[in-house]
């Protein structure tokens, strides 16, 4: 059967990837008959209404899914297609309570115009009561118009089957969250990332750059058990009794939170082994200040310092020494960690920056044991960030002739030497934009 999906007109490159991830998670066979990235409408083939509901019920970028009753380039074509496709179904809904809705993309209809469009559908023969609130059936007319063109280029008509999960965005909005930082991930993108990583009940998820816990909250909402770590102890401990756990408690998700701890990706207390069902993270980009990793610059240990009879490194306020870290090496380490800890078929989703310039764009990191599932882009002004989603392959499916290749270690000792994106951000963008102002923060 054919169904019409109506998308929210935001994050266009994420929409198809999200639905494909949800279809794979629920073992739903879906085929995209019509999909255009910047159109709010898509036609898919699904087995039945039950599959349609299951596919769309947790989608963040879908407003709803509709049984497709007709489509055409004009209203006359639409009416003929409705009769051709669905005339046998009309008696089924003849006595049901119902309402009609008219939605126009890049256009606006007056109430009299909407009434005229609806009146032209009287041939459907519905005799049930019109009920604007909680009707048994909702039928929708969708017009798609070109920019500044009055008449629609495409018209669709469908019966509402189920709505998406955009209603939860208000619940999780950062405006209402108790513990935040300047790098807290937007709640919509966090929930979307959790969908792409296939968070679900019975799964264990880990965020190695947990920050204020945005991803943990999103994954826990979908039923996963979560844990996280961060090199910045201040983020994990919080201040004045407010921390990550405060956010978890705010949404009644304590039973889904294992714990959060202070560590970095290269120095983790987690046991080795493949037991994680998902890794989800937004690693630091190192633009405001250079990336750091635990350790001393010279690689040697330090003598124990005693304060009031207690070793300094055992005190709560202790800040361990850190050394510069290569951005490219960090990406490699994330992939290596995923390969070592994810079960077969589990997913890794990570955000990474790139520039809107061929000469500045960073290559997508790869690993022979990880299959790239999707690459989604969130554009800004002169740069973008990409959400990369990988799937852990079974060891027997890894191509033996595909070598891992040398690690991108980065050379030098300064933040710019160790982070090509940071260096090009300040050098390349200034050249292209006549020394545009730098972002706030430490540039060293």
């Amino acid at each position: 059967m054919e169904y019409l999906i109506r998308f929210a007109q935001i994050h266009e490159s994420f929409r198809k990837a999200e639905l494909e991830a949800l279809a794979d998670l629920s073992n739903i066979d879906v085929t995209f008959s019509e999909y255009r990235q910047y159109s709010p409408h898509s036609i898919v083939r699904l087995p039945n209404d039950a599959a349609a509901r299951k596919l769309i019920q947790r989608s963040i970028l879908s407003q709803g899914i509709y049984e497709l009753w007709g489509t055409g380039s004009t209203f006359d074509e639409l009416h003929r297609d409705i009769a051709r496709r669905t005339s046998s179904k009309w008696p089924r809904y003849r006595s049901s309570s119902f309402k009609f809705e008219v939605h126009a993309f890049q256009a606006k209809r007056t109430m009299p115009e909407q009434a005229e469009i609806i009146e032209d559908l009287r041939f459907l023969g519905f005799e049930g009561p019109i009920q604007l609130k909680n009707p048994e059936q909702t039928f929708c007319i969708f017009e798609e118009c070109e920019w500044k063109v009055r008449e629609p280029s495409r018209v669709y008509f469908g019966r509402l089957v189920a709505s998406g999960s955009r209603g939860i965005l208000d619940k999780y909005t950062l405006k209402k969250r108790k513990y935040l930082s300047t790098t807290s991930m937007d709640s919509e993108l966090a929930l979307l990332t959790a969908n792409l990583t296939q968070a679900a009940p019975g799964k264990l998820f880990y965020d190695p750059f947990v920050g204020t816990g945005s991803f943990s909250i999103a994954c826990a909402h979908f039923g996963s058990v979560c844990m996280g770590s961060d090199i910045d102890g201040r983020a994990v401990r919080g201040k004045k009794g407010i921390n990550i756990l405060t956010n978890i408690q705010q949404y009644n998700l304590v039973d889904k939170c294992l714990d959060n701890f202070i560590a970095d990706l290269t120095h983790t207390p987690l046991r080795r082994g493949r037991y994680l069902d998902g890794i989800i993270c937004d690693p630091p980009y190192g633009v405001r200040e250079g990336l750091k990793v635990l350790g001393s610059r010279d690689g040697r240990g330090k003598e124990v310092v005693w304060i009031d009879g207690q070793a300094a490194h055992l005190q709560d306020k202790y800040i361990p020494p850190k050394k510069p870290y290569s951005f490219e090496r960090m990406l490699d380490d994330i992939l290596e960690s995923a390969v070592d800890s994810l079960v077969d078929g589990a997913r890794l989703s990570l955000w990474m920056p790139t520039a809107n310039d061929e000469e500045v764009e960073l290559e997508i990191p790869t690993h022979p044991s990880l299959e790239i599932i999707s690459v989604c882009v969130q554009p800004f002004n002169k740069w973008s960030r990409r959400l990369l989603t990988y799937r852990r392959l079974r060891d027997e499916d890894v191509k033996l002739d595909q070598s891992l290749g040398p690690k991108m270690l980065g050379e030098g000792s300064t933040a710019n030497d160790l982070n090509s994106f940071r260096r090009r951000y300040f050098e390349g963008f200034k050249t292209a934009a006549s020394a545009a102002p730098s972002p706030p923060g430490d540039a060293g």
Side-chain angles (χ1 to χ4, degrees):
M1 296 176 63
E2 284 195 316
Y3 293 85
L4 176 72
I5 296 176
R6 185 189 181 204
F7 293 112
Q9 199 63 11
I10 189 172
H11 304 310
E12 291 86 356
S13 71
F14 293 73
R15 300 186 303 197
K16 187 177 181 182
E18 182 197 28
L19 290 177
E20 289 175 335
L22 295 177
D24 179 69
L25 176 64
S26 300
N27 295 315
I28 297 173
D29 183 18
V30 59
T31 302
F32 286 83
S33 305
E34 179 183 304
Y35 180 83
R36 289 164 288 146
Q37 180 167 308
Y38 295 103
S39 168
H41 308 114
S42 176
I43 297 176
V44 298
R45 296 193 66 86
L46 291 165
N48 49 46
D49 283 4
R53 292 189 190 95
K54 196 171 184 180
L55 173 67
I56 217 71
Q57 64 184 359
R58 57 178 277 183
S59 172
I60 301 301
L61 297 181
S62 302
Q63 294 185 335
I65 189 166
Y66 303 78
E67 181 187 11
L68 184 64
W69 278 35
T71 181
S73 57
T74 66
F75 280 101
D76 287 340
E77 283 187 14
L78 173 68
H79 297 159
R80 290 194 295 270
D81 197 43
I82 292 173
R84 179 183 64 83
R85 288 173 180 259
T86 64
S87 58
S88 62
K89 298 180 180 181
W90 300 349
R92 189 186 313 170
Y93 303 103
R94 180 161 294 153
S95 59
S96 300
S97 62
F98 69 96
K99 73 173 180 179
F100 282 92
E101 295 179 354
V102 178
H103 301 279
F105 174 63
Q106 298 189 146
K108 187 175 182 180
R109 288 288 186 181
T110 65
M111 292 303 294
E113 287 176 328
Q114 292 185 37
E116 182 179 353
I117 291 172
I118 293 171
E119 184 63 25
D120 286 342
L121 293 169
R122 60 185 178 275
F123 62 84
L124 294 171
F126 296 157
E127 299 173 355
I130 297 173
Q131 191 169 313
L132 299 183
K133 187 175 182 180
N134 299 322
E136 294 177 282
Q137 304 296 333
T138 299
F139 295 92
C140 297
I141 303 104
F142 299 100
E143 296 180 90
E144 188 169 333
C145 301
E146 300 297 330
W147 181 243
K148 293 185 177 181
V149 177
R150 187 68 181 85
E151 293 302 315
S153 59
R154 199 75 187 167
V155 190
Y156 305 91
F157 181 67
R159 178 184 63 85
L160 177 64
V161 175
S163 298
S165 283
R166 292 192 62 76
I168 67 171
L169 297 182
D170 182 65
K171 174 182 177 180
Y172 290 106
T173 177
L174 296 185
K175 295 178 182 179
K176 300 179 181 179
R177 195 163 297 176
K178 295 180 179 180
Y179 179 51
L180 292 174
S181 75
T182 56
T183 59
S184 296
M185 175 62 74
D186 170 72
S187 58
E188 182 175 17
L189 290 174
L191 290 161
L192 179 55
T193 307
N195 268 344
L196 286 166
T197 322
Q198 297 182 332
K203 292 188 175 184
L204 175 61
F205 269 56
Y206 172 52
D207 180 357
F209 307 94
V210 69
T212 60
S214 292
F215 286 136
S216 294
I217 292 169
C219 293
H221 168 78
F222 290 121
S224 292
V225 173
C226 307
M227 61 180 176
S229 65
D230 203 292
I231 190 175
D232 188 350
R234 296 168 299 180
V236 176
R237 288 190 294 264
K239 56 184 178 181
K240 297 181 179 180
I242 299 176
N243 51 34
I244 302 173
L245 183 58
T246 305
N247 287 340
I248 299 293
Q249 293 171 335
Q250 179 181 347
Y251 301 111
N252 298 317
L253 297 171
V254 177
D255 61 326
K256 298 294 189 296
C257 178
L258 284 182
D259 207 348
N260 299 288
F261 52 92
I262 302 168
D264 72 34
L265 197 65
T266 63
H267 299 80
T268 175
L270 295 177
R271 67 176 176 84
R272 297 180 64 86
R274 296 178 58 190
Y275 53 88
L276 294 178
D277 300 294
I279 297 176
I280 181 170
C281 62
D282 180 25
Y285 308 152
V287 173
R288 294 188 176 188
E289 59 183 43
L291 297 173
K292 303 287 185 180
V293 69
L294 294 178
S296 58
R297 286 179 178 268
D298 57 16
R300 295 182 293 181
K302 303 294 183 182
E303 292 185 5
V304 177
V305 176
W306 298 87
I307 300 176
D308 298 331
Q310 184 180 13
H313 66 276
L314 297 178
Q315 298 185 11
D316 289 340
K317 296 182 179 179
Y318 175 71
I319 300 177
K322 301 179 180 69
K323 62 183 179 180
Y325 190 32
S326 161
F327 179 75
E328 288 82 359
R329 176 60 183 268
M330 177 185 66
L331 296 177
D332 277 337
D333 284 341
I334 293 172
L335 267 60
E336 282 283 2
S337 176
V339 170
D340 291 341
S341 59
L342 290 176
V343 300
D344 290 343
R347 293 193 173 198
L348 159 70
S349 286
L350 71 92
W351 288 84
M352 68 167 287
T354 188
N356 302 332
D357 188 321
E358 293 181 357
E359 297 180 359
V360 187
E361 183 172 354
L362 297 177
E363 291 185 4
I364 295 174
T366 60
H367 192 288
S369 296
L370 295 171
E371 176 189 7
I372 298 177
I373 298 297
S374 62
V375 178
C376 306
V377 181
Q378 181 189 18
F380 296 107
N381 184 13
K382 299 181 179 66
W383 68 286
S384 305
R385 61 178 177 179
R386 296 181 288 204
L387 175 57
L388 311 178
T389 301
Y390 303 81
R391 181 173 65 89
R392 178 57 162 97
L393 298 174
R394 299 182 304 170
D395 289 338
E396 55 266 36
D397 293 333
V398 177
K399 296 181 180 179
L400 298 178
D401 59 346
Q402 185 178 354
S403 62
L404 182 58
K407 280 187 173 295
M408 300 182 290
L409 300 179
E411 297 181 358
S413 58
T414 68
N416 279 353
D417 291 338
L418 294 168
N419 188 337
S420 60
F421 175 77
R422 185 180 195 274
R423 182 177 65 253
R424 292 168 180 173
Y425 186 101
F426 287 109
E427 294 177 357
F429 291 0
K430 283 185 176 181
T431 299
S434 301
S438 304
D442 181 10

